[in-house]
Amino acid sequence: MGKGGSLSDGVVKKIVLSYTYVAIWIFLSFTVIVYNKYILDKKMYNWPYPVSLTMIHMSFCATLAFLLVRVFRLVEPVSMSRDVYLSSVVPIGALYSLSLWLSNSAYIYLSVSFIQMLKALMPVAVYSIGVLLRKESYKNDTMFNMLSISLGVGVAAYGEARFDTWGVLLQLGAVAFEATRLVMIQILLTSKGISFNPITSLYYVAPCCLVFLSVPWIFVEYPILRESSTFQFDFVVFGTNSFCAFALNLAVFLLVGKTSALTMNVAGVVKDWLLIAFSWSVIKDTVTPINLFGYGLAFLGVAYYNHSKLQALKAKEAQKKTAQADEEEGRLLEEREADGMDSREKKSVRGK
């Protein structure tokens, strides 16, 4: 009875912890998105400088990562040569900076709810770019699934009350660059056996992002900020916003490390629906029935895609376990045969 009770307690504890990790990630992701919208929107905080905001985030994250890796030595750095850094990490930093710049810029022109609907195109972009770069194999049923997601997003866009072409182009560009970054991580890092946790990722990638973002900042935003003599840097607003962005990176590591990447995808769907509800009820963004119908179609497509990925993962794990079991069985047979030969040799020696 005691053993059964302790097992039950362990299972309950694991379930509670998993839901806690999910809740923390949803809360931080939700907070960062709404906070960025608040800062950049001209009707709210009215600081429409997405490059500057992204650079503040990267400066804060790079500084904290440097302290954790080099000063306090709480995290071990990844061993890599200068050539590997320049050929593998720098391109990923460039793609990440473009993705962040464009996605933050979209908040100036689009509602939070509509941006979340457009982000449903991420699996489509990742799969398409994966096929182009030969990291994914083309399958008719998967492509049909991608087309259904695209159709749903198209219907949602058709029903958008505050449709802005420039804002949509910015968000689609952000999705494209982020999807390319995810595929390039597999090609440039994973294939070489290099893996980062969120701290080492920020330690190596954030400085690259700062360098790349400084180019558009100097030509686009710096002249405007220099002329705006009334602006005073708000350490509370930008400090807390940057800390939330840094904490979100840690939460991603915690969620994926303690549960799985698929759990994060499912949690992401829950977060998107919460953001749509928040955008409609609190920010008072207009969400039309056509919006919801289109996003519902896209949501079903994404859910089916996640289900397919889960089934493929389960099949791969089952195949791996079968191979391990066969290997273990073969090893045991070899040991038994060896023991039998030893016993026969001993008997023949005794007979002599």
Side-chain angles (χ1 to χ4, degrees):
M1 186 76 178
K3 288 182 180 179
S6 62
L7 180 63
S8 177
D9 291 343
V11 170
V12 170
K13 184 179 179 181
K14 188 175 180 180
I15 293 171
V16 170
L17 283 174
S18 296
Y19 277 108
T20 302
Y21 299 139
V22 168
I24 291 170
W25 179 81
I26 289 177
F27 172 76
L28 288 170
S29 183
F30 185 100
T31 302
V32 169
I33 289 170
V34 174
Y35 212 157
N36 286 351
K37 173 67 175 177
Y38 167 75
I39 291 172
L40 295 165
D41 197 301
K42 294 178 181 179
K43 296 178 182 178
M44 299 182 191
Y45 190 77
N46 190 25
W47 201 69
Y49 304 107
V51 182
S52 301
L53 181 64
T54 308
M55 289 181 73
I56 291 169
H57 288 173
M58 290 296 104
S59 300
F60 184 88
C61 291
T63 302
L64 277 185
F66 178 82
L67 290 173
L68 291 171
V69 173
R70 291 296 180 187
V71 178
F72 300 111
R73 300 186 183 278
L74 296 174
V75 180
E76 285 292 323
V78 176
S79 177
M80 73 173 74
S81 65
R82 182 181 175 184
D83 290 340
V84 171
Y85 181 81
L86 292 175
S87 63
S88 300
V89 178
V90 170
I92 290 168
L95 291 168
Y96 194 37
S97 62
L98 287 167
S99 171
L100 291 172
W101 172 21
L102 297 183
S103 63
N104 281 335
S105 299
Y107 287 113
I108 301 172
Y109 305 96
L110 302 176
S111 65
V112 170
S113 56
F114 187 43
I115 286 174
Q116 300 314 120
M117 293 176 190
L118 290 174
K119 284 182 180 179
L121 287 170
M122 184 61 73
V124 180
V126 171
Y127 178 73
S128 301
I129 293 168
V131 170
L132 286 173
L133 298 178
R134 298 182 178 179
K135 290 302 292 181
E136 291 276 359
S137 57
Y138 176 84
K139 295 178 182 177
N140 287 328
D141 56 342
T142 306
M143 184 52 70
F144 180 78
N145 186 199
M146 298 300 109
L147 289 173
S148 69
I149 296 172
S150 302
L151 175 65
V153 173
V155 171
Y158 177 78
E160 175 59 22
R162 286 180 52 207
F163 186 90
D164 185 284
T165 304
W166 180 239
V168 170
L169 289 174
L170 287 170
Q171 185 56 48
L172 292 179
V175 169
F177 282 120
E178 179 62 11
T180 306
R181 183 184 77 90
L182 294 173
V183 176
M184 293 305 291
I185 285 174
Q186 295 178 26
I187 296 172
L188 297 177
L189 295 178
T190 308
S191 62
K192 297 177 183 178
I194 301 172
S195 62
F196 294 141
N197 61 45
I199 303 299
T200 52
S201 177
L202 290 172
Y203 176 75
Y204 290 106
V205 175
C208 298
C209 290
L210 274 173
V211 172
F212 286 114
L213 288 168
S214 65
V215 177
W217 182 76
I218 289 170
F219 293 103
V220 178
E221 293 187 4
Y222 175 68
I224 302 172
L225 287 167
R226 185 176 57 187
E227 292 176 7
S228 179
S229 57
T230 56
F231 173 71
Q232 296 292 325
F233 189 85
D234 193 327
F235 285 95
V236 174
V237 170
F238 293 107
T240 52
N241 180 243
S242 299
F243 181 79
C244 287
F246 180 79
L248 178 59
N249 279 279
L250 297 182
V252 169
F253 177 64
L254 192 68
L255 182 61
V256 176
K258 299 296 183 180
T259 57
S260 67
L262 188 69
T263 301
M264 194 176 84
N265 287 339
V266 175
V269 172
V270 176
K271 178 209 68 180
D272 290 344
W273 281 109
L274 288 173
L275 278 166
I276 291 169
F278 181 86
S279 177
W280 171 73
S281 61
V282 179
I283 304 177
K284 302 301 180 184
D285 287 330
T286 302
V287 179
T288 66
I290 299 177
N291 269 150
L292 293 176
F293 176 72
Y295 184 65
L297 287 177
F299 163 73
L300 291 175
V302 172
Y304 179 76
Y305 176 73
N306 286 334
H307 173 72
S308 300
K309 295 285 278 187
L310 177 61
Q311 294 303 113
L313 190 64
K314 282 182 177 179
K316 190 175 180 181
E317 284 295 319
Q319 190 176 7
K320 187 178 177 181
K321 286 180 180 178
T322 302
Q324 287 175 345
D326 291 342
E327 186 180 342
E328 181 68 18
E329 188 177 350
R331 188 179 63 80
L332 289 172
L333 284 171
E334 287 178 2
E335 288 179 358
R336 286 174 187 170
E337 288 176 1
D339 290 342
M341 288 178 66
D342 289 342
S343 63
R344 284 195 294 271
E345 286 177 2
K346 287 177 182 177
K347 285 180 180 178
S348 64
V349 170
R350 285 175 187 169
K352 289 179 182 179

